[in-house]
């Protein structure tokens, strides 16, 4: 048992970063916000520390959820997303405004846990598929050769061995589960194994239709010659495949098709589980496969994906994903200030907003949510909530929910110096992005230091006069600056374009002069 726990800890704590290293990694993509970075770094490190404790003590240590307070565009979402990517944790971002109180039409708060489990399942499945890549490639190649050179037809006696079960719908019935607000309509199925008949109409039992079940019939030399010829041709096709000479040839194969059902919100029900059940029934009745003509290149990708999926144990994936979600999952709840109740609690929409808070509370406190991959416990999932709180304030949240976010971090508004760093310092700096984009048109784009500084000052000025949308203002400024160049790039290439302070003033002169800047910049 201790060995299993150690292996579990090793799989979950595969990326063991110190708080200083976490902050250093976040600095590569996010400018400033030292307090928020330190808070999430400590929270992540504490989760790693908890997994190294004795099981008895480990279960009693709850995660310290974080509430980020700051205007839009200062990096709240990016900090959480980069943190999850850094730790290799299942992560989802949700908006609190999309959920409704129980009894109203809309998404229930438990769906955020199901979405997190779906993300964790895909993450683990992809990791396990990478470990069987070589075997999947071999199997895909054999299946592709079967499509290019179909094997000789099997004898009719062999067709009787692999008869698939017959599944027929017989009727429907209605059940009313306990603790449910509605009824469920179910379908009964008749299943059986098909049989064969001889010329006299008598039913044949297994192996009765085989003339020689012991395979004592002597081999036919002509059949052996055909077999040798088939193998030689198959090997020639294999060589041509390796040399890439058959990539444009088309083949016909059966591919899986997932039937799509319309999204329906049902009161007191979980449509995700019902949709999965209906999809399974559709596969029984022939809706799971369809013929498709594709090139060899595309067929190889499809077959490789199918073979990799067959090689992976879905039960093992579910268990590992559930463990990873419960121990290292991160849910980022954005716009939580929009469901905060201002002032005195009264009637109207405030009741619904407070109802959403009450529904979120048990999920954050710790509950068990049923998913199609099994029950998921939320006791140790890290919740990071964020909001601008420019209209309401954190104290407007219900007291119980406030207590579940003990760490509160205020993020600073961005100024000229921050914008200047955002344009140049991060690994995915905005200036670098535009240089690479325009570079695909064979145009070399260069920015002078003075021009970059002027762009940062302009973004700060516009934010001060209009709504403060943080770093997103830089995107609108850059688009306005390079709009004409982006449109004409393919016509003037190849060329070298230098963005100087005069170029910036020329392109953005009208914006600077016009008092109603909102006509040009969001």
């Amino acid at each position: 048992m201790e060995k299993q726990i150690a292996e579990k800890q090793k799989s979950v704590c595969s990326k063991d970063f110190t708080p200083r290293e976490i902050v250093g990694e976040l600095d590569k993509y996010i400018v400033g916000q030292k307090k928020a970075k330190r808070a999430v770094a400590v929270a992540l490190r504490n989760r790693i520390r908890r997994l190294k404790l004795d099981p008895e003590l480990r279960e009693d240590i709850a995660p310290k959820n974080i509430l980020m307070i700051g205007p839009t565009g200062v990096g709240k979402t990016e900090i959480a997303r980069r943190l999850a990517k850094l730790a290799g944790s299942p992560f989802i971002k949700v908006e609190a405004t999309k959920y409704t109180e129980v009894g109203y039409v809309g998404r229930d708060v438990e769906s955020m846990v199901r979405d997190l489990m779906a993300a964790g399942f895909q993450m683990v499945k992809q990791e396990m598929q990478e470990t069987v890549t070589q075997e999947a490639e071999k199997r895909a190649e054999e299946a592709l050769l079967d499509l290019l050179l179909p094997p000789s037809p099997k004898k009719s006696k062999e067709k009787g061995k692999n008869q698939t079960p017959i599944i027929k719908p017989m009727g429907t019935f209605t059940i009313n589960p306990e603790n449910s607000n509605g009824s469920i309509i179910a379908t009964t199925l008749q299943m059986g194994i098909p049989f064969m008949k001889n010329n006299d109409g008598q039913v044949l039992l297994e192996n009765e239709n085989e003339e020689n079940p012991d395979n004592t019939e002597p081999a036919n030399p002509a059949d052996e010659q055909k077999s040798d010829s088939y193998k030689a041709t198959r090997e020639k096709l294999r060589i041509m495949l390796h040399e890439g000479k058959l990539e444009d040839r088309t083949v016909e194969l059966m591919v899986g098709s997932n039937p799509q059902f319309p999204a329906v919100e049902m009161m007191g029900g979980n449509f995700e589980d019902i949709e999965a059940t209906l999809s399974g029934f559709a596969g029984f009745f022939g809706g799971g496969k369809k013929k498709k003509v594709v090139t060899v290149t595309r067929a190889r990708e499809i077959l490789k994906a199918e073979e990799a999926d067959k090689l992976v144990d879905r039960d093992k994936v579910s268990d590992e994903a559930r463990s990873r979600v419960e121990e290292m999952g991160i849910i980022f709840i954005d716009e939580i200030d929009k469901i905060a109740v201002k002032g005195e609690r009264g009637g109207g929409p405030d009741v619904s907003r407070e109802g959403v808070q009450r529904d979120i509370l048990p999920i954050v406190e710790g509950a068990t949510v049923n998913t199609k991959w099994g029950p998921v416990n939320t006791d140790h999932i890290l919740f990071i909530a964020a909001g601008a709180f420019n209209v309401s304030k954190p104290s407007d949240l219900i007291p119980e929910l406030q207590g579940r976010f003990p760490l509160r971090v205020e993020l600073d508004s961005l100024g000229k110096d921050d914008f200047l760093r955002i344009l140049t310092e991060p690994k995915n700096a905005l200036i670098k992005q535009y240089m690479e984009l325009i570079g695909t048109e064979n145009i070399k784009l260069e920015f002078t230091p003075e021009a970059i500084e002027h762009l940062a000052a302009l973004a700060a000025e516009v934010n001060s006069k209009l709504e403060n949308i943080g770093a997103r203002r830089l995107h609108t400024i850059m688009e306005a600056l390079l709009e004409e160049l982006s449109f004409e790039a393919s016509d003037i290439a190849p060329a070298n374009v230098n963005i100087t302070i005069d170029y910036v003033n020329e392109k953005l002169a009208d914006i600077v002069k016009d008092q109603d800047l909102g006509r040009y910049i969001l």
Side-chain angles (χ1 to χ4, degrees):
M1 185 65 182
E2 294 180 357
K3 184 177 180 181
Q4 293 178 352
I5 295 175
E7 291 178 354
K8 180 179 177 181
Q9 292 176 0
K10 183 178 179 182
S11 63
V12 176
C13 301
S14 57
K15 299 182 179 181
D16 195 355
F17 291 100
T18 66
R20 194 176 302 278
E21 291 174 341
I22 294 171
V23 172
E25 290 294 323
L26 294 176
D27 284 339
K28 294 180 181 178
Y29 300 95
I30 303 155
V31 169
Q33 313 302 353
K34 292 293 184 183
K35 293 181 181 178
K37 291 176 182 176
R38 289 172 65 93
V40 297
V42 172
L44 179 60
R45 184 64 181 180
N46 281 338
R47 309 186 81 192
I48 298 175
R49 292 166 178 161
R50 186 186 72 86
L51 293 175
K52 297 178 180 179
L53 299 176
D54 294 333
E56 184 177 352
L57 179 60
R58 184 170 62 222
E59 292 301 318
D60 295 331
I61 299 179
K64 304 304 183 288
N65 298 321
I66 302 170
L67 177 62
M68 294 185 181
I69 305 169
T72 182
V74 297
K76 300 188 295 293
T77 304
E78 191 65 15
I79 287 175
R81 181 179 290 113
R82 294 291 176 182
L83 180 74
K85 189 174 182 180
L86 180 65
S89 302
F91 171 82
I92 59 164
K93 172 184 177 292
V94 299
E95 285 79 31
T97 52
K98 75 165 56 172
Y99 300 104
T100 59
E101 186 178 355
V102 172
Y104 291 88
V105 176
R107 299 201 70 188
D108 63 291
V109 296
E110 289 186 353
S111 63
M112 70 173 68
V113 181
R114 290 192 287 268
D115 293 341
L116 180 65
M117 184 61 196
F121 182 86
Q122 291 299 324
M123 175 187 294
V124 176
K125 180 182 176 182
Q126 185 176 1
E127 291 176 2
M128 291 190 176
Q129 284 180 341
E130 291 176 356
T131 62
V132 296
T133 300
Q134 294 183 353
E135 181 63 24
E137 289 176 350
K138 292 179 182 178
R139 294 191 179 189
E141 182 178 288
E142 296 299 328
L144 191 56
L145 289 172
D146 289 340
L147 294 174
L148 293 168
L149 184 65
S152 58
K154 296 181 180 179
K155 296 180 180 181
S156 59
K157 66 179 182 180
E158 295 179 351
K159 295 181 180 179
K161 293 182 180 180
N162 300 320
Q163 296 292 334
T164 56
I166 295 176
I167 303 175
K168 296 181 179 180
M170 296 179 61
T172 60
F173 62 93
T174 303
I175 59 176
N176 294 299
E178 296 181 0
N179 302 324
S180 175
N181 295 328
S183 59
I184 299 175
I185 299 177
T187 302
T188 58
L189 302 175
Q190 179 186 12
M191 302 182 64
I193 300 176
F195 52 82
M196 297 182 63
K197 294 182 180 180
N198 59 15
N199 295 332
D200 297 330
Q202 296 177 341
V203 176
L204 297 178
L205 300 178
E206 185 179 3
N207 292 331
E208 281 188 1
N209 62 317
E210 297 185 12
E211 299 176 357
N212 190 6
D214 296 330
N215 296 324
T216 57
E217 184 179 347
N220 189 341
D223 292 340
E224 291 184 356
Q225 186 175 0
K226 290 181 181 179
S227 177
D228 293 339
S229 176
Y230 172 80
K231 292 179 180 178
T233 305
R234 187 180 178 91
E235 291 305 315
K236 289 180 181 178
L237 288 174
R238 190 190 303 274
I239 295 173
M240 295 176 69
L241 271 179
H242 293 170
E243 294 176 351
K245 296 180 179 179
L246 304 176
E247 298 303 304
D248 295 331
R249 182 178 294 188
T250 58
V251 294
E252 184 181 69
L253 75 162
M254 300 293 291
V255 297
S257 61
N258 295 323
Q260 298 296 322
F261 298 95
V264 179
E265 299 290 350
M266 299 187 302
M267 187 181 303
N270 178 8
F271 182 75
E272 288 90 342
D273 294 341
I274 296 178
E275 181 182 2
T277 304
L278 293 176
S279 300
F281 282 138
F284 286 143
F285 302 128
K289 292 284 186 178
K290 66 177 181 180
K291 289 184 179 180
K292 191 174 184 180
V293 178
V294 295
T295 62
V296 168
T297 304
R298 178 60 180 156
R300 184 186 290 107
E301 297 175 359
I302 295 174
L303 293 171
K304 181 181 175 181
E306 289 182 352
E307 294 299 333
D309 191 57
K310 293 177 184 177
L311 290 169
V312 170
D313 185 354
R314 296 183 68 88
D315 291 336
K316 187 177 180 181
V317 173
S318 298
D319 294 341
E320 173 62 24
R322 188 163 58 250
S323 172
R324 194 174 298 187
V325 165
E326 291 179 345
E327 300 294 342
M328 294 296 290
I330 299 176
I331 296 181
F332 181 79
I333 306 176
D334 203 5
E335 307 293 348
I336 198 169
D337 58 315
K338 302 300 186 296
I339 62 172
V341 182
K342 297 179 295 181
E344 295 294 331
R345 289 175 169 81
D350 288 347
V351 175
S352 178
R353 287 188 288 179
E354 187 172 325
V356 175
Q357 296 184 53
R358 288 195 300 267
D359 291 344
I360 291 178
L361 180 61
I363 303 296
V364 178
E365 285 182 336
T368 299
V369 177
N370 291 322
T371 71
K372 59 184 178 182
W373 297 281
V376 175
N377 188 281
T378 66
D379 285 343
H380 301 291
I381 293 177
L382 176 64
F383 290 87
I384 302 176
F389 289 99
N390 49 1
V391 177
S392 58
K393 50 186 182 294
S395 59
D396 291 330
L397 295 169
I398 61 176
E400 296 85 355
L401 192 59
Q402 293 181 45
R404 281 294 164 175
F405 290 90
L407 298 182
R408 297 186 183 181
V409 181
E410 291 193 24
L411 285 83
D412 303 323
S413 298
L414 302 178
K416 173 187 172 183
D417 295 337
D418 297 314
F419 289 142
L420 183 61
R421 295 179 60 193
I422 291 172
L423 287 172
T424 57
E425 287 186 11
K427 204 170 182 178
N428 56 346
L430 204 56
I431 293 292
K432 187 185 300 182
Q433 292 180 25
Y434 278 94
M435 290 174 64
E436 295 295 331
L437 281 174
I438 301 297
T440 60
E441 301 280 1
N442 200 15
I443 291 181
K444 187 176 181 181
L445 195 62
E446 293 289 345
F447 287 80
T448 63
E450 295 80 8
I452 297 175
E453 185 174 355
H454 189 54
L455 287 171
L458 184 59
E461 178 185 354
V462 176
N463 267 350
S464 64
K465 292 183 178 180
L466 295 177
E467 289 293 333
N468 185 1
I469 61 173
R472 295 185 178 94
R473 185 70 66 187
L474 292 173
H475 291 273
T476 58
I477 290 283
M478 293 295 295
E479 284 295 326
L481 175 68
L482 301 175
E483 179 183 6
E484 183 178 347
L485 179 60
S486 298
F487 184 82
E488 299 177 350
S490 56
D491 299 327
I492 65 176
N496 293 337
V497 179
N498 292 324
I499 306 298
T500 63
I501 191 170
D502 293 333
Y503 186 95
V504 173
N505 288 330
E506 178 185 352
K507 297 300 180 183
L508 303 180
D510 294 336
I511 299 178
V512 175
K513 292 179 182 179
D514 200 300
Q515 296 298 322
D516 186 12
L517 301 179
R519 291 197 305 161
Y520 300 94
I521 300 179
L522 294 177

